[in-house]
Amino acid sequence: MKRFLCILLVTMIAILSGCSVSNVTKQEEIKNENNIFYTGQGEKWFATYSISKVNSSYFESLYIQYLVDRTTIEKNKEEQNIGPIEYKLVGNSMKLESSFPQKLKGIGNFHTATEMNAELFNTDYGDELILEIKWKDKTEKLYLKKLK
């Protein structure tokens, strides 16, 4: 009888823990489907692009950061003032670009965000986006990879 109860107890624990893991896995899958992230770095720039579904909306956010060695910035003042930028982000079925030169803020960054109706938004951009940044007669392309 004790052996039967022990086997029954072990079986119940296995069943209940399996359900718990399955439920957590499903919640993480839903979370991953609702949040998509891309990131990439070039020689002078770093960028992230994210898409998040919240209720009936999608929020997309693009963050661009100018990379500079902060330990030597005092020696090279030109690095500090790079002026406005223009950008173009291209994916499978999307294009996001500046309509005029954008000033950098704070420590040399730019951020833009939009909200869209989830029914009108296609999030199948593929595994890589191309971000082109133009500044001071220079251009750099970054390849933003989708985080899995």
Side-chain angles (χ1 to χ4, degrees), residues 20-54:
S20 175
V21 170
S22 176
N23 192 24
V24 169
T25 303
K26 286 180 185 178
Q27 288 174 349
E28 286 182 10
E29 285 176 10
I30 291 170
K31 184 178 176 183
N32 289 341
E33 289 174 7
N34 289 339
N35 297 293
I36 302 167
F37 299 97
Y38 293 86
T39 184
Q41 180 177 336
E43 184 180 331
K44 292 288 186 181
W45 298 93
F46 167 79
T48 62
Y49 178 69
S50 65
I51 308 156
S52 298
K53 184 171 189 261
V54 179

Side-chain angles (χ1 to χ4, degrees), residues 72-83:
T72 61
I73 190 97
E74 291 302 317
K75 295 177 186 173
N76 190 355
K77 291 288 185 180
E78 186 178 315
E79 285 284 319
Q80 203 168 4
N81 183 16
I82 64 161

Side-chain angles (χ1 to χ4, degrees), residues 53-103:
K53 184 171 189 261
V54 179
N55 299 330
S56 62
S57 295
Y58 273 107
F59 294 91
E60 63 177 347
S61 173
L62 174 63
Y63 176 81
I64 301 171
Q65 176 67 55
Y66 184 67
L67 301 174
V68 63
D69 182 357
R70 306 233 183 267
T71 61
T72 61
I73 190 97
E74 291 302 317
K75 295 177 186 173
N76 190 355
K77 291 288 185 180
E78 186 178 315
E79 285 284 319
Q80 203 168 4
N81 183 16
I82 64 161
I85 66 167
E86 294 185 64
Y87 65 88
K88 179 170 40 174
L89 180 67
V90 179
N92 280 350
S93 61
M94 63 84 74
K95 182 165 84 169
L96 176 68
E97 65 184 313
S98 55
S99 47
F100 56 89
Q102 303 291 321
K103 289 183 180 180

Side-chain angles (χ1 to χ4, degrees), residues 95-129:
K95 182 165 84 169
L96 176 68
E97 65 184 313
S98 55
S99 47
F100 56 89
Q102 303 291 321
K103 289 183 180 180
L104 299 181
K105 306 280 185 192
I107 58 170
N109 63 65
F110 172 77
H111 178 252
T112 185
T114 58
E115 177 182 6
M116 296 183 164
N117 183 325
E119 293 177 12
L120 304 175
F121 197 72
N122 176 14
T123 59
D124 183 22
Y125 296 164
D127 291 334
E128 182 178 83
L129 304 177

